[in-house]
Each structure stands twice: as structure tokens, then as C-alpha cells.
């Protein structure tokens, strides 16, 4: 039987099987299995030949059945705080690129900083039996993560340190990032600082605020006001800035440290519409250094996080744990850096 005569779903009324592929290609079923699952074990010529036959026959592998038999899924799940934030998009890109090198797909979910929604995704990934999970937690999820691991799903925490030795984690030193931000604002002559954005209970916010507060404590005559917001987007920045503008002029800050760049962009818009000059009247500094920061009407100074590297390192830890569940738990901390632009003078 020639390849062109092989059974096709639309022509023969049945699905093409691995046996059909093997017969049409003139190889064993084991060779086809290697082409699909372990291509490095097949010679380049055979690999190219079998892949061509697979394409001609329209063969579609039944991953769901295969994974059910194996009791696991090669896919990796990822839960981020907010997929609308380019920071998490960049982290996910780093994850996806690294997983692609190992022929593993990524299933991405966004909790929206909502613990109930986060729980729904955890249920989904448990049902799907994903081989690994990368998560930036919102709620108190350690019991759920332990259960996932007991069922064969390895876990790495991203953009947050766990405070335990149970799960590997990768994060950026947000306390240092907060210090870098506040120190820069003080160095350019600002004394009345405000921090806008984020729920106080969110770990990243606590750490960035702690770093900024430590700098303020070291400089007499310097103050820091915290403006809490429910979210960390441009709307939160606009609302936070407007609440400060409602104060008597003598109480206005002369510098604003935003929880992230999206918040900073909202702050910039509100101040500009109110006729406040940036940076002459108020300096603005963001966090993350997303692409939009440099292209803002007034380019934003920001504390840069190594976003794609964060995703790549987390994926390396996860793959190591999938390969060897007894692998050493590691807590990796990456360093932020200051990027100075026009918004701080």
C-alpha cells in the first residue's frame, strides 16, 4: 500500500492509527512511537520520512488517552496573578520558550488576584494530571500544593518566596527593589514620597513597601505615604493619584513610587490631566520595566525585573523536579535594577 492509498479519516470513515502509519511508512510501531515521543532516538532520515507520512495520512495522536494510561500529562500548568499585566506575559513567554525546548505544552491560567478563581484552576490542573505547576499564589494554597505533589504533580512557586523548604521558588528581591526605588527618589531631591498600588497583604507589595520605608527611615525629613488599592492596574493608579490630588496642596507628595508600571501609567495620566508637571512638580517611578514604560508620553523610570529569566529559571527547576522528584528544593532570588528615564528628572 502506498502512502497516498493509506486510510484517511474522511475517506475511509475511521481514524488513522499508529499501526496505519507504521504500515504506510514501512517501519515498526515502536519506531512510530519513538518519532512521536522520543524523536532523539530515531535517525534524521527515518524521522523525516515518518513525519511526512504522518502529515500525508492526517494522523492525530490521542494524547488524552495516552496520558490517562500513563497517569500523567506532559503539559505544565501555570497560574499568574493577572495575565493583562505585561510582566506576567513576559514571564510566561520565558516559560513557554523553555518548555518548547523539551516538547512540553503550557496551559496558562490567570487568577485575577482572586483566591476562588485560583482554586478553580488548581482543580482543573489536578483533573488534567499535569506533570508540573508554576504558580504565583494568592490564597493560602500550601495544603493544595502538597496534595498535587502527592499525586505526582511537581510545583514551583514563581515571583514569590514560599517561606518554607517544601517547594522550590524563584523571585526577584522586592525589598531591594523598593530600596532602589526610594533611594533614587531621595537622591534626586524628593522628600515627600507616596507609594501607590496593590493590596497591602500581597507579598510583593509588602516587600516593596518595606524596602522603601527602610530608606525613608534613614533620611531625616523624608516621609512616605501609602495609598492602598484593590488592584494593580492603570485604573488603580488613576484613583490613587486622584485621592492624593484631593489633599491640600501642601500635603501633596513630590514623588510617587508605583507598585508596578501599569499603576505608574495611570498615575501619569491623572497628574497630566490635572495639570501637574512631571517630573517638575511630581516625579513618578514604576516597577517591572515593561515595554510600555519606555514608550509612555513621558518615559517612565522603573525598577526592572528580569521577566523572561524569571520564567526560564522557574521552568528549569520544575523540569528538574519532574525528572527527579527527590531533587533538592531551591530558593532562587534574582536581582532588580534601576532604569532612569524622564519621569524622575
Amino acid at each position: 500500500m502506498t502512502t497516498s492509498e493509506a486510510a484517511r479519516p474522511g475517506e475511509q470513515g475511521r481514524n488513522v492509527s499508529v499501526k496505519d502509519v507504521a504500515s504506510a511508512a514501512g517501519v515498526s510501531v515502536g519506531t512510530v512511537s519513538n518519532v512521536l515521543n522520543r524523536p532523539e532516538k530515531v535517525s534524521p532520515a527515518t524521522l523525516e520520512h515518518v513525519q511526512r507520512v504522518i502529515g500525508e495520512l492526517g494522523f492525530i495522536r490521542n494524547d488524552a488517552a495516552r496520558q490517562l494510561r500513563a497517569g500523567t500529562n506532559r503539559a505544565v500548568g501555570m497560574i499568574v496573578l493577572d495575565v493583562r499585566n505585561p510582566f506576567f506575559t513576559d514571564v510566561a513567554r520565558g516559560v513557554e520558550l523553555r518548555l518548547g525546548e523539551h516538547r512540553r505544552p503550557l496551559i496558562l491560567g490567570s487568577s485575577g488576584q482572586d483566591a476562588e478563581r485560583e482554586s478553580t484552576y488548581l482543580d482543573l490542573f489536578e483533573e488534567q494530571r499535569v506533570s508540573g505547576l508554576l504558580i504565583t499564589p494568592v490564597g493560602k494554597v500550601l495544603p493544595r500544593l502538597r496534595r498535587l505533589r502527592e499525586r505526582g504533580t511537581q510545583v514551583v512557586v514563581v515571583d514569590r518566596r514560599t517561606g518554607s523548604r517544601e517547594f522550590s521558588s524563584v523571585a526577584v528581591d522586592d525589598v531591594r527593589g523598593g530600596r532602589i526605588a526610594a533611594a533614587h527618589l531621595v537622591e534626586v531631591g524628593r522628600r515627600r514620597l507616596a507609594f501607590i498600588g496593590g493590596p497591602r497583604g500581597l507579598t510583593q507589595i509588602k516587600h516593596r513597601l518595606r524596602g522603601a520605608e527602610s530608606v525613608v527611615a534613614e533620611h531625616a525629613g523624608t516621609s512616605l505615604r501609602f495609598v492602598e488599592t484593590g488592584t494593580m492596574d492603570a485604573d488603580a493608579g488613576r484613583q490613587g493619584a486622584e485621592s492624593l490630588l484631593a489633599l491640600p496642596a501642601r500635603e501633596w507628595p513630590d514623588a510617587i513610587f508605583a507598585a508596578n508600571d501599569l499603576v505608574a501609567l495611570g498615575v501619569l495620566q491623572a497628574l497630566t490631566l490635572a495639570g501637574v508637571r512631571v517630573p517638575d512638580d511630581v516625579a513618578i517611578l514604576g516597577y517591572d520595566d515593561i515595554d510600555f514604560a519606555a514608550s509612555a508620553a513621558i518615559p517612565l523610570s522603573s525598577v526592572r525585573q528580569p521577566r523572561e529569566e524569571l520564567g526560564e529559571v522557574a521552568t528549569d527547576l520544575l523540569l528538574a523536579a519532574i525528572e527527579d522528584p527527590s531533587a533538592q528544593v531551591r530558593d532562587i532570588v534574582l536581582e532588580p535594577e534601576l532604569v532612569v528615564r524622564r519621569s524622575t528628572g
Side-chain angles (χ1 to χ4, degrees):
M1 178 175 64
T2 66
T3 300
S4 60
E5 296 171 337
R8 297 176 185 272
E11 297 172 357
Q12 301 292 335
R14 64 184 178 88
N15 290 327
V16 177
S17 69
V18 170
K19 289 182 180 178
D20 292 330
V21 174
S23 176
V27 299
S28 69
V29 170
T31 297
V32 177
S33 178
N34 281 337
V35 168
L36 295 171
N37 303 303
R38 295 173 295 276
E40 70 280 358
K41 293 184 177 294
V42 184
S43 71
T46 300
L47 180 65
E48 181 181 358
H49 172 60
V50 174
Q51 287 177 333
R52 183 174 64 253
V53 172
I54 286 173
E56 292 173 351
L57 294 182
F59 170 78
I60 300 175
R61 64 191 295 170
N62 188 346
D63 273 346
R66 179 177 59 84
Q67 291 160 1
L68 188 61
R69 289 193 300 270
T72 188
N73 184 335
R74 282 185 61 80
V76 166
M78 183 176 187
I79 305 176
V80 300
L81 288 182
D82 188 351
V83 76
R84 297 173 302 174
N85 187 336
F87 166 78
F88 289 109
T89 305
D90 290 344
V91 174
R93 184 184 300 123
V95 172
E96 187 175 38
L97 289 172
R98 186 67 97 231
L99 288 177
E101 297 171 5
H102 297 266
R103 301 172 63 85
R104 287 180 178 270
L106 173 67
I107 306 173
L108 181 64
S110 175
S111 68
Q113 301 177 44
D114 183 295
E116 185 174 341
R117 188 171 173 184
E118 176 181 68
S119 181
T120 299
Y121 274 113
L122 287 171
D123 290 340
L124 171 65
F125 291 143
E126 187 170 359
E127 291 169 4
Q128 292 293 316
R129 302 181 186 179
V130 295
S131 57
L133 174 68
L134 299 165
I135 181 172
T136 304
V138 178
K140 298 180 179 179
V141 295
L142 279 179
R144 291 295 308 275
L145 300 185
R146 293 187 191 109
R147 189 171 81 184
L148 280 169
R149 186 176 56 192
E150 289 169 359
R151 296 190 176 190
T153 296
Q154 300 302 317
V155 178
V156 170
V157 176
V158 184
D159 195 36
R160 176 175 165 184
R161 302 178 72 176
T162 63
S164 74
R165 297 299 300 170
E166 295 185 71
F167 301 98
S168 291
S169 64
V170 184
V172 175
D173 189 343
D174 280 322
V175 175
R176 176 168 173 74
R179 282 192 60 84
I180 289 172
H184 172 63
L185 294 173
V186 171
E187 286 169 4
V188 296
R190 310 298 168 140
R191 293 295 177 266
R192 300 185 308 279
L193 280 55
F195 182 99
I196 296 181
R200 186 185 288 268
L202 198 62
T203 301
Q204 293 89 334
I205 299 304
K206 287 193 294 186
H207 288 179
R208 292 169 198 177
L209 184 58
R210 184 189 308 164
E213 288 173 336
S214 68
V215 170
V216 169
E218 296 166 2
H219 293 80
T222 302
S223 62
L224 177 66
R225 179 192 296 266
F226 176 52
V227 180
E228 185 171 11
T229 62
T231 59
M232 295 171 62
D233 53 21
D235 282 342
R238 284 189 288 269
Q239 293 166 12
E242 288 166 0
S243 71
L244 290 174
L245 292 172
L247 297 171
R250 65 180 181 277
E251 296 182 24
W252 285 8
D254 57 12
I256 293 174
F257 171 26
N260 66 24
D261 289 335
L262 292 182
V263 174
L265 290 170
V267 170
L268 176 61
Q269 183 185 52
L271 294 186
T272 301
L273 290 175
V276 177
R277 298 172 302 167
V278 177
D280 296 13
D281 300 325
V282 179
I284 303 175
L285 190 147
Y287 205 100
D288 292 339
D289 194 35
I290 62 175
D291 292 340
F292 295 135
S295 57
I298 299 176
L300 286 169
S301 294
S302 187
V303 176
R304 174 181 292 162
Q305 299 202 74
R307 303 179 300 278
E308 289 195 22
E309 182 184 358
L310 192 67
E312 292 169 355
V313 173
T315 305
D316 288 341
L317 287 178
L318 187 64
L319 292 173
I322 292 171
E323 182 70 22
D324 178 11
S326 64
Q328 180 182 3
V329 171
R330 299 182 63 192
D331 181 22
I332 296 178
V333 180
L334 305 179
E335 291 297 318
E337 61 178 308
L338 178 68
V339 178
V340 178
R341 299 190 181 98
R342 284 182 53 200
S343 69
T344 55

